Amino acid sequence: MEIWINPACSKCRSALTLLDAEGAEYTVRRYLEDVPGEDEIRAVLDRLGLEPWDITRTQEAAAKELGLKEWPRDAASRDRWIAALAGHPKLIQRPIITADDGTTLVARSEEAVREALSHSKR
């Protein structure tokens, strides 16, 4: 399983603590340093079943600078949103866990982390 984290994020730290408590095997990706490209973001969105605006942190300073709240949320604007996430990874909601079976979740709650665990080999 892989987890995308920002070490400064309390929800990321909580997810890691729970994964450790459950003895899960996982790989940490510090996505602010190891930035996902546009194709990788598209793949994660496909696995999540979400659109880029669904995983965008619109309260971040970069979102306000870009005026993201005013951007259309439609198919024609999807690539623009993905480019913004790749160019400003702080905008990506976290943590994102991809389980061993490919199930991908935004794991901001203990329940979501446990769901990811249920999809991973022990």
Side-chain angles (χ1 to χ4, degrees):
M1 144 171 37
E2 181 178 78
I3 181 168
W4 290 10
I5 68 156
N6 172 352
C9 168
S10 63
K11 295 211 184 276
C12 293
R13 291 191 307 270
S14 294
L16 293 175
T17 298
L18 181 55
L19 292 175
D20 289 341
E22 294 294 325
E25 291 185 21
Y26 60 90
T27 302
V28 169
R29 178 168 184 178
R30 293 179 180 219
Y31 71 93
L32 297 179
E33 299 162 16
D34 181 8
V35 179
E38 292 182 27
D39 288 342
E40 198 170 4
I41 291 170
R42 278 188 194 86
V44 164
L45 287 167
D46 289 347
R47 290 193 307 266
L48 285 167
L50 297 174
E51 293 297 335
W53 45 85
D54 296 326
I55 66 162
T56 300
R57 298 173 55 84
T58 57
Q59 298 306 312
E60 291 288 337
K64 292 174 181 171
E65 289 168 20
L66 293 168
L68 285 182
K69 285 191 175 183
E70 311 306 318
W71 288 14
R73 296 178 180 211
D74 57 25
S77 302
R78 191 172 199 261
D79 287 342
R80 182 180 181 198
W81 281 85
I82 290 169
L85 292 173
H88 305 275
K90 244 189 174 174
L91 296 176
I92 300 171
Q93 190 58 267
R94 59 194 182 246
I96 294 176
I97 298 177
T98 299
D100 293 342
D101 69 358
T103 299
T104 303
L105 301 157
V106 178
R108 294 188 58 75
S109 68
E110 181 177 329
E111 294 77 23
V113 176
R114 290 194 183 284
E115 184 176 342
L117 281 165
S118 75
H119 288 274
S120 287
K121 300 171 194 152
R122 302 238 166 189

